[in-house]
Amino acid sequence: MSKGDYLPAIPVLRDVTVGERATTAEIGQTYQAWLLLGTVHGVLAQWEQAAGVYAQAAAIDPNNARIQLAAATAWANAGLFENAAAHYEKALAVEGSAGTWSALAYARLQCQLRLPKKKRNWAPFIEALAAAQKPKDGTPASDAWRVRLLEADYRLARGDEQGEQGQARRDVAQLLREAEDQYPGSANLLQRLVLAYEQTGCPSDADRVLEKVARLEKDLAASHLLRAALHSHRRQYERARQVLAAGKKVAKGEMGPAFESALVQISLQEGKPKQALEELAKLHAKYPSNQAFLRQLIELACDEGQLDEAAKWESKLRELEGS
């Protein structure tokens, strides 16, 4: 089923949620409609709409940790981390887990990184990080390595604030190597480590881990995307494009948009916004129901002062959202 097939369900489900609901059965019907609507918006990557819908469901059943987590995840995917943190906190008030504490730590980290350095308050993040590292029930998260990466990001931020970037990078490089040794079988960690090492000033480690990823046959697409990102970070833009072209030939069909989106990012990193706009317009024509491409078109057109173009894409987005 393509994403476009989900669109007709939105107005139908919205109709179910409209109006007063007095009986238990009616409230239950509305609740289920909110949940289904949240799922549909999530499939379509309409994260703000999904978050708002899950919040409506959470208002009906506030002690349901699963719904609070769904709302929090959607807010995080939308980049609205203060809202995400609020719902993670509500979920933790009902049911604590290392994974939820880790997610809360990530949301709080992102909130602080978006503030001017002098206005940051790291205490809430440190509290969540400590709880994720040592959960009360003694059960670590299934992806406990994420906690190590959160600590790495925090140390880099603090080093930058204190003018000790060099020492912070050395400390973080050691932390990353410890995480690599501690979780040798985690493909997801290896993929994250490639750019983490590169950004910490350890290109040889980045190359070494990338070869590990490349040896994982099931992650052929991921290894090509990572290799292209590495070349782009090193300003080797043509080599990055060549890697993406090769990777697209071996990638599964659903990975196509990821490779094409990566090409747009290369144009932006290279300082070619007009080329990126042209590429995004072609991607919209190819994937008309992909709202992420439309949102990028709107943002980039505004950045380039093309307000009429931005309005045109905004109108298409509203039409696609059914509003």
Side-chain angles (χ1 to χ4, degrees):
M1 181 181 287
S2 70
K3 291 185 177 181
D5 294 329
Y6 287 88
L7 291 172
I10 293 177
V12 175
L13 291 169
R14 281 180 178 168
D15 286 344
V16 177
T17 66
V18 174
E20 294 293 330
R21 297 290 185 266
T23 68
T24 301
E26 289 173 338
I27 293 172
Q29 185 182 46
T30 300
Y31 177 71
Q32 291 300 322
W34 284 128
L35 295 182
L36 287 171
L37 191 54
T39 300
V40 170
H41 283 307
V43 169
L44 296 171
Q46 299 173 340
W47 295 116
E48 287 191 49
Q49 293 95 320
V53 164
Y54 283 131
Q56 293 282 356
I60 296 175
D61 189 9
N63 292 322
N64 189 318
R66 183 176 64 86
I67 303 305
Q68 297 289 0
L69 287 173
T73 301
W75 283 125
N77 286 336
L80 296 170
F81 293 102
E82 288 189 7
N83 292 355
H87 281 279
Y88 283 130
E89 289 164 4
K90 291 177 181 178
L92 285 165
V94 177
E95 181 181 313
S97 73
T100 305
W101 277 112
S102 176
L104 175 60
Y106 175 74
R108 287 178 173 176
L109 173 74
Q110 295 303 317
C111 287
Q112 295 307 308
L113 291 177
R114 283 159 172 73
L115 293 175
K117 295 176 185 178
K118 293 183 178 180
K119 292 187 176 181
R120 292 174 182 171
N121 173 17
W122 290 105
F125 164 77
I126 293 171
E127 175 196 29
L129 184 68
Q133 290 170 328
K134 295 182 178 180
K136 290 182 179 179
D137 62 3
T139 304
S142 58
D143 53 356
W145 54 266
R146 293 183 186 275
V147 177
R148 305 303 299 275
L149 296 187
L150 287 171
E151 183 181 353
D153 288 340
Y154 166 68
R155 288 193 186 187
L156 287 174
R158 291 293 287 157
D160 182 52
E161 290 170 8
Q162 297 166 353
E164 298 177 355
Q165 295 93 330
Q167 185 60 51
R169 286 189 172 195
R170 288 189 290 273
D171 291 343
V172 166
Q174 181 59 34
L175 187 154
L176 296 177
R177 294 185 187 109
E178 291 172 0
E180 185 183 348
D181 291 339
Q182 187 176 0
Y183 306 99
S186 174
N188 287 333
L189 171 61
L190 291 176
Q191 291 172 19
R192 292 282 299 274
L193 282 176
V194 173
L195 292 180
Y197 275 131
E198 179 72 11
Q199 292 162 356
T200 309
C202 301
S204 60
D205 285 300
D207 290 333
R208 175 180 56 78
V209 176
L210 180 58
E211 293 310 312
K212 283 188 180 183
V213 175
R215 287 195 293 269
L216 300 174
E217 292 184 6
K218 63 181 179 180
D219 286 313
L220 280 175
S223 67
H224 279 85
L225 287 168
L226 279 171
R227 194 178 298 277
L230 209 53
H231 285 309
S232 186
H233 188 271
R234 296 170 182 174
R235 300 185 180 181
Q236 300 166 343
Y237 301 118
E238 285 311 309
R239 290 184 67 181
R241 289 189 175 93
Q242 292 167 7
V243 168
L244 289 173
K248 192 176 177 182
K249 293 178 181 178
V250 300
K252 295 179 181 179
E254 65 269 20
M255 289 296 294
F259 280 85
E260 291 169 299
S261 180
L263 285 168
V264 174
Q265 295 307 310
I266 291 173
S267 295
L268 289 172
Q269 290 169 345
E270 201 174 2
K272 297 180 177 179
K274 290 184 179 179
Q275 180 173 315
L277 272 171
E278 292 173 2
E279 291 168 343
L280 278 170
K282 291 178 181 178
L283 287 181
H284 168 63
K286 188 174 182 179
Y287 306 104
S289 65
N290 188 307
Q291 296 188 28
F293 292 146
L294 272 173
R295 290 192 177 93
Q296 288 181 66
L297 276 166
I298 295 166
E299 183 178 351
L300 192 51
C302 287
D303 289 344
E304 290 300 297
Q306 299 181 18
L307 301 184
D308 289 342
E309 283 293 296
K312 180 184 76 175
W313 300 125
E314 180 72 36
S315 176
K316 287 183 177 292
L317 180 60
R318 286 200 301 271
E319 180 181 339
L320 195 58
E321 292 175 340
S323 58

